[in-house]
Short mmCIF file of all heavy atoms in Angstrom, two decimals:
data_model
loop_
_atom_site.label_atom_id
_atom_site.label_comp_id
_atom_site.label_asym_id
_atom_site.label_seq_id
_atom_site.Cartn_x
_atom_site.Cartn_y
_atom_site.Cartn_z
N GLU A 41 122.31 30.40 -49.07
CA GLU A 41 122.94 31.70 -48.93
C GLU A 41 123.84 31.72 -47.69
O GLU A 41 123.83 30.80 -46.89
CB GLU A 41 121.85 32.76 -48.83
CG GLU A 41 121.05 32.79 -50.11
CD GLU A 41 120.00 33.85 -50.08
OE1 GLU A 41 118.98 33.68 -49.38
OE2 GLU A 41 120.19 34.86 -50.75
N SER A 42 124.60 32.81 -47.54
CA SER A 42 125.53 32.84 -46.42
C SER A 42 124.78 32.68 -45.10
O SER A 42 123.68 33.19 -44.93
CB SER A 42 126.36 34.13 -46.40
OG SER A 42 125.72 35.16 -47.06
N TYR A 137 156.01 21.96 -61.45
CA TYR A 137 155.36 22.74 -60.40
C TYR A 137 155.74 22.27 -59.00
O TYR A 137 155.45 22.93 -58.01
CB TYR A 137 153.83 22.68 -60.56
CG TYR A 137 153.34 23.63 -61.62
CD1 TYR A 137 153.26 23.23 -62.95
CD2 TYR A 137 152.96 24.93 -61.30
CE1 TYR A 137 152.84 24.10 -63.93
CE2 TYR A 137 152.52 25.80 -62.28
CZ TYR A 137 152.46 25.39 -63.59
OH TYR A 137 152.04 26.26 -64.56
N GLY A 148 143.98 30.06 -59.95
CA GLY A 148 143.52 28.81 -60.54
C GLY A 148 144.53 27.68 -60.32
O GLY A 148 144.15 26.55 -60.00
N ARG A 152 144.21 24.14 -58.14
CA ARG A 152 144.58 22.84 -58.67
C ARG A 152 145.49 22.10 -57.69
O ARG A 152 145.36 20.89 -57.49
CB ARG A 152 145.30 22.98 -60.02
CG ARG A 152 144.32 23.26 -61.15
CD ARG A 152 145.04 23.61 -62.43
NE ARG A 152 144.12 24.19 -63.39
CZ ARG A 152 143.71 23.57 -64.50
NH1 ARG A 152 144.15 22.39 -64.82
NH2 ARG A 152 142.84 24.15 -65.29
N ASP A 176 138.07 33.75 -61.31
CA ASP A 176 137.40 34.40 -62.44
C ASP A 176 136.60 33.39 -63.24
O ASP A 176 136.89 32.19 -63.23
CB ASP A 176 138.45 35.01 -63.37
CG ASP A 176 138.75 36.44 -62.99
OD1 ASP A 176 137.82 37.12 -62.53
OD2 ASP A 176 139.90 36.85 -63.15
N SER A 178 136.40 32.46 -66.39
CA SER A 178 137.00 31.55 -67.36
C SER A 178 137.79 30.44 -66.64
O SER A 178 137.81 29.30 -67.07
CB SER A 178 137.90 32.30 -68.32
OG SER A 178 138.86 33.04 -67.62
N SER A 181 135.30 27.81 -65.00
CA SER A 181 134.79 26.77 -65.89
C SER A 181 135.81 25.64 -66.05
O SER A 181 135.43 24.48 -66.15
CB SER A 181 134.50 27.35 -67.27
OG SER A 181 133.77 28.52 -67.15
N ARG A 182 137.10 26.00 -66.08
CA ARG A 182 138.12 24.96 -66.25
C ARG A 182 138.24 24.08 -65.03
O ARG A 182 138.44 22.88 -65.14
CB ARG A 182 139.48 25.61 -66.53
CG ARG A 182 139.50 26.13 -67.92
CD ARG A 182 140.88 26.09 -68.48
NE ARG A 182 140.91 27.19 -69.42
CZ ARG A 182 141.56 28.30 -69.23
NH1 ARG A 182 142.33 28.45 -68.18
NH2 ARG A 182 141.48 29.24 -70.10
N ALA A 185 135.44 21.62 -65.15
CA ALA A 185 135.72 20.56 -66.13
C ALA A 185 136.76 19.59 -65.57
O ALA A 185 136.65 18.37 -65.75
CB ALA A 185 136.22 21.18 -67.43
N LEU A 186 137.75 20.11 -64.86
CA LEU A 186 138.79 19.27 -64.26
C LEU A 186 138.19 18.32 -63.22
O LEU A 186 138.47 17.12 -63.21
CB LEU A 186 139.85 20.15 -63.60
CG LEU A 186 140.90 19.42 -62.75
CD1 LEU A 186 141.85 18.67 -63.64
CD2 LEU A 186 141.67 20.39 -61.86
N LYS A 188 135.18 17.21 -63.00
CA LYS A 188 134.37 16.18 -63.66
C LYS A 188 135.26 15.10 -64.24
O LYS A 188 134.95 13.90 -64.14
CB LYS A 188 133.56 16.80 -64.79
CG LYS A 188 132.31 17.52 -64.33
CD LYS A 188 131.70 18.17 -65.53
CE LYS A 188 130.20 18.28 -65.45
NZ LYS A 188 129.68 18.94 -66.65
N ASP A 189 136.37 15.52 -64.84
CA ASP A 189 137.31 14.58 -65.43
C ASP A 189 137.90 13.64 -64.36
O ASP A 189 137.95 12.42 -64.55
CB ASP A 189 138.42 15.38 -66.12
CG ASP A 189 139.38 14.48 -66.87
OD1 ASP A 189 138.92 13.77 -67.77
OD2 ASP A 189 140.58 14.48 -66.53
N LYS A 210 126.27 22.98 -63.45
CA LYS A 210 127.21 22.36 -64.38
C LYS A 210 127.80 21.07 -63.85
O LYS A 210 128.24 20.23 -64.61
CB LYS A 210 128.36 23.33 -64.69
CG LYS A 210 128.01 24.38 -65.70
CD LYS A 210 129.25 25.19 -66.03
CE LYS A 210 128.91 26.40 -66.87
NZ LYS A 210 130.03 27.33 -66.95
N ALA A 247 116.25 34.64 -58.68
CA ALA A 247 117.10 35.80 -58.37
C ALA A 247 118.40 35.79 -59.15
O ALA A 247 119.08 36.79 -59.23
CB ALA A 247 117.40 35.85 -56.88
N PRO A 249 120.68 36.29 -62.06
CA PRO A 249 120.57 36.96 -63.35
C PRO A 249 121.08 36.04 -64.46
O PRO A 249 122.08 35.36 -64.30
CB PRO A 249 121.47 38.18 -63.23
CG PRO A 249 122.10 38.14 -61.90
CD PRO A 249 121.73 36.88 -61.22
N SER A 250 120.37 36.03 -65.59
CA SER A 250 120.75 35.13 -66.67
C SER A 250 121.19 35.93 -67.88
O SER A 250 120.72 37.03 -68.11
CB SER A 250 119.54 34.25 -67.03
OG SER A 250 119.68 33.79 -68.34
N ILE A 251 122.13 35.38 -68.66
CA ILE A 251 122.57 36.11 -69.85
C ILE A 251 121.71 35.75 -71.06
O ILE A 251 121.88 36.30 -72.13
CB ILE A 251 124.06 35.87 -70.18
CG1 ILE A 251 124.32 34.43 -70.57
CG2 ILE A 251 124.94 36.29 -69.04
CD1 ILE A 251 125.63 34.29 -71.34
N ARG A 256 113.70 35.88 -69.56
CA ARG A 256 113.39 37.10 -68.81
C ARG A 256 112.09 36.94 -68.02
O ARG A 256 111.22 37.78 -68.08
CB ARG A 256 113.25 38.29 -69.76
CG ARG A 256 114.51 38.99 -70.15
CD ARG A 256 115.03 39.83 -69.01
NE ARG A 256 116.01 39.11 -68.23
CZ ARG A 256 117.30 39.17 -68.44
NH1 ARG A 256 117.77 39.93 -69.36
NH2 ARG A 256 118.12 38.49 -67.68
N ARG A 259 110.85 38.13 -61.91
CA ARG A 259 111.67 37.87 -60.74
C ARG A 259 110.78 37.78 -59.50
O ARG A 259 109.85 38.56 -59.35
CB ARG A 259 112.63 39.02 -60.50
CG ARG A 259 113.62 39.21 -61.59
CD ARG A 259 114.98 38.71 -61.18
NE ARG A 259 115.86 38.71 -62.33
CZ ARG A 259 115.88 37.74 -63.24
NH1 ARG A 259 115.09 36.70 -63.12
NH2 ARG A 259 116.68 37.80 -64.26
N ILE A 261 110.96 38.66 -55.90
CA ILE A 261 111.85 39.37 -54.97
C ILE A 261 111.37 39.13 -53.55
O ILE A 261 110.23 39.45 -53.20
CB ILE A 261 111.93 40.86 -55.34
CG1 ILE A 261 112.54 40.93 -56.75
CG2 ILE A 261 112.77 41.61 -54.32
CD1 ILE A 261 113.08 42.24 -57.16
N LEU A 262 112.22 38.49 -52.76
CA LEU A 262 111.84 38.13 -51.40
C LEU A 262 111.72 39.37 -50.53
O LEU A 262 112.47 40.31 -50.68
CB LEU A 262 112.89 37.20 -50.80
CG LEU A 262 112.88 35.76 -51.27
CD1 LEU A 262 114.00 35.00 -50.60
CD2 LEU A 262 111.55 35.10 -50.93
N GLY A 264 112.22 41.34 -47.08
CA GLY A 264 113.08 41.34 -45.90
C GLY A 264 114.31 40.47 -46.03
O GLY A 264 114.80 40.21 -47.11
N GLU A 265 114.81 40.04 -44.87
CA GLU A 265 116.06 39.30 -44.83
C GLU A 265 115.86 37.99 -44.09
O GLU A 265 114.86 37.79 -43.41
CB GLU A 265 117.11 40.13 -44.10
CG GLU A 265 117.34 41.47 -44.75
CD GLU A 265 118.67 42.05 -44.35
OE1 GLU A 265 119.04 41.90 -43.17
OE2 GLU A 265 119.35 42.61 -45.22
N GLU B 39 137.30 40.72 -66.28
CA GLU B 39 137.77 39.84 -65.20
C GLU B 39 138.60 40.65 -64.21
O GLU B 39 138.90 41.81 -64.45
CB GLU B 39 138.58 38.69 -65.81
CG GLU B 39 137.72 37.81 -66.69
CD GLU B 39 138.50 36.64 -67.27
OE1 GLU B 39 139.28 36.85 -68.20
OE2 GLU B 39 138.32 35.54 -66.77
N SER B 40 139.01 40.00 -63.12
CA SER B 40 139.78 40.76 -62.14
C SER B 40 141.09 41.24 -62.76
O SER B 40 141.71 40.54 -63.55
CB SER B 40 140.05 39.93 -60.89
OG SER B 40 140.28 38.60 -61.20
N SER B 151 123.31 43.99 -41.49
CA SER B 151 123.72 42.94 -42.43
C SER B 151 124.34 43.61 -43.66
O SER B 151 124.23 44.82 -43.86
CB SER B 151 122.50 42.13 -42.85
OG SER B 151 121.65 42.95 -43.62
N ASP B 181 124.37 37.97 -51.17
CA ASP B 181 123.69 36.77 -51.67
C ASP B 181 122.78 37.11 -52.84
O ASP B 181 122.36 38.24 -53.00
CB ASP B 181 122.84 36.18 -50.55
CG ASP B 181 123.67 35.39 -49.57
OD1 ASP B 181 124.59 34.68 -50.02
OD2 ASP B 181 123.42 35.49 -48.37
N VAL B 182 122.43 36.08 -53.64
CA VAL B 182 121.63 36.37 -54.84
C VAL B 182 120.26 36.96 -54.56
O VAL B 182 119.81 37.83 -55.30
CB VAL B 182 121.43 35.16 -55.79
CG1 VAL B 182 122.59 35.01 -56.71
CG2 VAL B 182 121.09 33.91 -55.06
N THR B 183 119.58 36.50 -53.51
CA THR B 183 118.24 37.05 -53.26
C THR B 183 118.35 38.51 -52.82
O THR B 183 117.51 39.33 -53.18
CB THR B 183 117.47 36.24 -52.20
OG1 THR B 183 118.25 36.16 -51.02
CG2 THR B 183 117.17 34.84 -52.68
N GLN B 185 120.87 40.41 -53.76
CA GLN B 185 121.29 41.06 -55.00
C GLN B 185 120.07 41.49 -55.83
O GLN B 185 120.02 42.60 -56.34
CB GLN B 185 122.16 40.11 -55.82
CG GLN B 185 122.38 40.56 -57.25
CD GLN B 185 123.44 39.74 -57.96
OE1 GLN B 185 124.61 39.88 -57.69
NE2 GLN B 185 123.03 38.89 -58.85
N GLN B 187 117.15 42.19 -54.72
CA GLN B 187 116.52 43.35 -54.05
C GLN B 187 117.28 44.64 -54.36
O GLN B 187 116.68 45.67 -54.64
CB GLN B 187 116.53 43.14 -52.53
CG GLN B 187 115.65 42.00 -52.03
CD GLN B 187 115.81 41.76 -50.53
OE1 GLN B 187 116.76 42.20 -49.90
NE2 GLN B 187 114.87 41.04 -49.95
N ASP B 190 116.79 45.87 -57.92
CA ASP B 190 115.47 46.46 -57.99
C ASP B 190 115.50 47.90 -57.46
O ASP B 190 114.95 48.81 -58.07
CB ASP B 190 114.53 45.61 -57.13
CG ASP B 190 113.16 45.54 -57.70
OD1 ASP B 190 113.06 45.41 -58.94
OD2 ASP B 190 112.19 45.60 -56.93
N LEU B 210 128.30 38.56 -66.16
CA LEU B 210 127.56 38.86 -67.39
C LEU B 210 126.05 38.77 -67.20
O LEU B 210 125.28 39.44 -67.87
CB LEU B 210 128.01 37.93 -68.52
CG LEU B 210 129.38 38.29 -69.10
CD1 LEU B 210 129.96 37.11 -69.85
CD2 LEU B 210 129.29 39.49 -70.00
N GLY B 211 125.63 37.93 -66.25
CA GLY B 211 124.21 37.85 -65.93
C GLY B 211 123.69 39.18 -65.41
O GLY B 211 122.62 39.65 -65.79
N ALA B 212 124.49 39.80 -64.54
CA ALA B 212 124.11 41.10 -63.98
C ALA B 212 124.06 42.15 -65.08
O ALA B 212 123.21 43.04 -65.07
CB ALA B 212 125.10 41.52 -62.89
N ALA B 214 123.26 41.60 -68.26
CA ALA B 214 122.02 41.37 -69.01
C ALA B 214 120.82 41.90 -68.24
O ALA B 214 119.86 42.40 -68.82
CB ALA B 214 121.85 39.88 -69.29
N GLU B 215 120.90 41.80 -66.93
CA GLU B 215 119.80 42.21 -66.07
C GLU B 215 119.67 43.74 -65.97
O GLU B 215 118.59 44.29 -66.00
CB GLU B 215 120.08 41.63 -64.67
CG GLU B 215 119.14 42.01 -63.59
CD GLU B 215 117.91 41.12 -63.58
OE1 GLU B 215 118.03 39.96 -64.03
OE2 GLU B 215 116.87 41.59 -63.12
N LEU B 238 125.50 40.12 -76.44
CA LEU B 238 125.23 38.76 -75.97
C LEU B 238 124.83 37.85 -77.13
O LEU B 238 125.15 36.67 -77.15
CB LEU B 238 124.14 38.77 -74.90
CG LEU B 238 124.52 39.46 -73.59
CD1 LEU B 238 123.34 39.48 -72.64
CD2 LEU B 238 125.71 38.81 -72.93
N TYR B 248 135.49 34.71 -76.21
CA TYR B 248 136.11 33.80 -75.24
C TYR B 248 135.39 33.89 -73.89
O TYR B 248 135.08 32.88 -73.26
CB TYR B 248 137.58 34.18 -75.12
CG TYR B 248 138.30 33.60 -73.96
CD1 TYR B 248 138.80 32.29 -74.00
CD2 TYR B 248 138.51 34.35 -72.80
CE1 TYR B 248 139.46 31.76 -72.93
CE2 TYR B 248 139.18 33.82 -71.72
CZ TYR B 248 139.65 32.52 -71.78
OH TYR B 248 140.30 32.00 -70.71
N SER B 252 133.12 30.94 -72.03
CA SER B 252 133.48 30.35 -70.75
C SER B 252 132.28 30.28 -69.82
O SER B 252 132.25 29.49 -68.88
CB SER B 252 134.63 31.13 -70.10
OG SER B 252 134.17 32.36 -69.62
N VAL B 253 131.26 31.11 -70.06
CA VAL B 253 130.06 31.04 -69.23
C VAL B 253 129.14 29.93 -69.72
O VAL B 253 128.59 29.16 -68.94
CB VAL B 253 129.29 32.38 -69.28
CG1 VAL B 253 128.07 32.33 -68.39
CG2 VAL B 253 130.18 33.52 -68.86
N GLU B 256 131.07 24.11 -72.30
CA GLU B 256 132.05 23.26 -71.63
C GLU B 256 133.42 23.66 -72.16
O GLU B 256 133.59 23.89 -73.35
CB GLU B 256 131.80 21.80 -72.00
CG GLU B 256 130.48 21.27 -71.50
CD GLU B 256 130.58 20.73 -70.09
OE1 GLU B 256 131.56 20.04 -69.81
OE2 GLU B 256 129.68 21.03 -69.29
N VAL B 257 134.41 23.75 -71.29
CA VAL B 257 135.73 24.14 -71.75
C VAL B 257 136.71 23.00 -71.51
O VAL B 257 136.46 22.10 -70.73
CB VAL B 257 136.24 25.39 -71.03
CG1 VAL B 257 135.50 26.60 -71.51
CG2 VAL B 257 136.12 25.23 -69.54
N ASP B 258 137.84 23.09 -72.21
CA ASP B 258 138.86 22.08 -72.03
C ASP B 258 139.71 22.47 -70.82
O ASP B 258 140.33 23.51 -70.80
CB ASP B 258 139.74 22.02 -73.29
CG ASP B 258 140.76 20.91 -73.18
OD1 ASP B 258 140.72 20.16 -72.18
OD2 ASP B 258 141.59 20.79 -74.09
N HIS B 259 139.70 21.62 -69.80
CA HIS B 259 140.38 21.99 -68.56
C HIS B 259 141.89 21.83 -68.67
O HIS B 259 142.63 22.22 -67.79
CB HIS B 259 139.86 21.15 -67.41
CG HIS B 259 140.15 19.69 -67.55
ND1 HIS B 259 141.34 19.15 -67.15
CD2 HIS B 259 139.42 18.69 -68.07
CE1 HIS B 259 141.31 17.85 -67.42
NE2 HIS B 259 140.17 17.55 -67.98
N VAL B 261 143.80 23.23 -70.81
CA VAL B 261 144.44 24.48 -71.23
C VAL B 261 145.02 25.15 -69.98
O VAL B 261 144.38 25.20 -68.94
CB VAL B 261 143.40 25.42 -71.90
CG1 VAL B 261 144.08 26.70 -72.33
CG2 VAL B 261 142.76 24.73 -73.06
N GLU B 262 146.22 25.63 -70.11
CA GLU B 262 146.92 26.27 -69.00
C GLU B 262 146.15 27.50 -68.50
O GLU B 262 145.64 28.28 -69.29
CB GLU B 262 148.30 26.67 -69.52
CG GLU B 262 149.24 27.19 -68.51
CD GLU B 262 149.99 26.10 -67.75
OE1 GLU B 262 149.93 24.91 -68.11
OE2 GLU B 262 150.64 26.48 -66.80
N ASP B 263 146.07 27.67 -67.17
CA ASP B 263 145.46 28.89 -66.63
C ASP B 263 146.46 30.03 -66.78
O ASP B 263 147.58 29.93 -66.31
CB ASP B 263 145.18 28.74 -65.13
CG ASP B 263 144.26 27.58 -64.85
OD1 ASP B 263 143.44 27.29 -65.71
OD2 ASP B 263 144.39 26.98 -63.77
#
Side-chain angles (χ1 to χ4, degrees):
Chain A
E41 297 182 287
S42 24
Y137 280 88
R152 283 171 194 251
D176 269 326
S178 55
S181 312
R182 286 210 209 108
L186 171 72
K188 280 175 150 179
D189 185 59
K210 280 185 189 168
S250 157
I251 66 160
R256 275 286 94 93
R259 296 255 171 278
I261 298 197
L262 284 178
E265 302 201 320
Chain B
E39 296 181 284
S40 37
S151 67
D181 281 320
V182 276
T183 55
Q185 167 170 287
Q187 293 174 343
D190 215 41
L210 285 161
E215 175 84 27
L238 294 177
Y248 166 81
S252 73
V253 182
E256 295 273 317
V257 288
D258 184 5
H259 64 85
V261 181
E262 187 84 9
D263 301 329

